[in-house]
Amino acid sequence: MRIDVVSIFPEFFDVLEVSLLGKARGRGILDIRVHDLRAHTHDRHRTVDDTPYGGGAGMVMKPEPWGDVLDEVATDAASRPIFVFPSPAGERFTQATARELSSAPHLVFGCGRYEGIDERVFAYAATLGDVRLVSLGDYVLNGGEVAAMAMIEAIGRLVPGVVGNPESLVEESHEDGLLEYPSYTKPASWRGYDVPEILRSGDHGKVAQWRRGQQLERTRERRPDLLPD
Ligand code: 6GU
């Protein structure tokens, strides 16, 4: 999978060189390219923002540098990309979104700052590929970078070959619509806390039943919104 990222803070994405995604890049499974939006400005101050038409607080990202960089990343790719613009005004990003996007051959993340990106950029991007405005949740970050990073990790780990044991992707929170069951490892007793006896019983049927019950109980307690009424 190819992933292009456009940002005025390309150094935010240096961490994509470490851990699981860093290894996947090294092995050529993920081709991640980070672009500095300011490289696509033409004035001495490398201006990327301006005051909003209609007035109001804050600044808006100018369309011209975005147009140039989107042309560049879209034209040297084999297929039409999906453009993902992280935005608190977007649709909600979920595990289903991550799964859907993990099968795309080419994603382009456009990270906005300030009050947002000139709306015409989204209309223009739609002529080059699909466009998605996507939000992590109902709170506000200073820009799209941290959100893009979270989405890239959630999507990237679902790309075949990135996570060594694909079975570890199956039994985790949100894959079956419930929160994950609690996990324990050795020692069996630690500082007075014991591992539930049933997990040490060797009865796989009982273990599976207990885990299912734990999933339901935790989901009811912490995330009742995930359960059907
Ligand atoms: Cl995707 N962007 C920003 N700036 N803030 C957010 C967000 C995204 N998701 C939640 N808050």
Side-chain angles (χ1 to χ4, degrees):
M1 170 189 278
R2 174 167 160 188
I3 300 177
D4 289 275
V5 183
V6 181
S7 167
I8 58 168
F9 295 121
E11 63 273 23
F12 255 100
F13 298 90
D14 288 352
V15 296
L16 291 175
E17 282 162 30
V18 302
S19 192
L20 219 61
L21 293 196
K23 288 200 190 92
R25 285 177 90 174
R27 287 183 287 140
I29 300 172
L30 296 178
D31 173 11
I32 303 179
R33 310 180 194 187
V34 183
H35 308 265
D36 184 355
L37 183 68
R38 285 193 204 278
H40 297 269
T41 58
H42 302 287
D43 64 311
R44 202 160 53 84
H45 300 290
R46 308 180 84 200
T47 311
V48 293
D49 62 332
D50 206 337
T51 54
Y53 274 114
M59 300 288 270
V60 175
M61 293 190 107
K62 297 164 59 60
E64 303 96 320
W66 280 106
D68 286 8
V69 72
L70 296 187
D71 282 343
E72 186 183 288
V73 298
T75 54
D76 73 3
S79 59
R80 283 165 61 87
I82 298 177
F83 294 94
V84 180
F85 292 97
S87 164
E91 58 172 307
R92 184 67 168 270
F93 183 83
T94 66
Q95 189 66 17
T97 321
R99 183 136 322 266
E100 180 194 347
L101 294 177
S102 71
S103 63
H106 186 196
L107 300 177
V108 180
F109 285 84
C111 301
R113 283 262 147 185
Y114 315 109
E115 297 309 303
I117 302 172
D118 186 302
E119 192 71 17
R120 292 168 293 180
V121 170
F122 309 124
Y124 180 69
T127 69
L128 303 172
D130 287 348
V131 173
R132 305 277 289 266
L133 269 71
V134 187
S135 168
L136 287 189
D138 298 337
Y139 46 85
V140 179
L141 304 170
N142 286 332
E145 282 78 8
V146 168
M149 196 84 71
M151 295 180 204
I152 290 168
E153 183 157 314
I155 295 163
R157 63 194 293 283
L158 297 177
V159 172
V162 173
V163 169
N165 178 5
E167 278 186 37
S168 62
L169 296 176
V170 178
E171 292 197 7
E172 55 188 14
S173 293
H174 302 298
E175 275 301 332
D176 59 4
L178 297 174
L179 302 186
E180 196 173 13
Y181 53 75
S183 301
Y184 300 86
T185 186
K186 289 171 277 299
S189 186
W190 173 75
R191 298 193 178 187
Y193 301 93
D194 292 340
V195 172
E197 194 55 47
I198 199 155
L199 297 177
R200 306 176 56 208
S201 68
D203 184 333
H204 299 299
K206 282 255 167 59
V207 168
Q209 202 179 359
W210 180 85
R211 285 177 167 167
R212 194 73 187 168
Q214 289 290 309
Q215 284 192 281
L216 286 164
E217 191 177 310
R218 296 179 135 194
T219 307
R220 203 180 311 117
E221 196 149 302
R222 301 176 188 171
R223 294 294 307 278
D225 57 297
L226 295 176
L227 294 171
D229 301 305

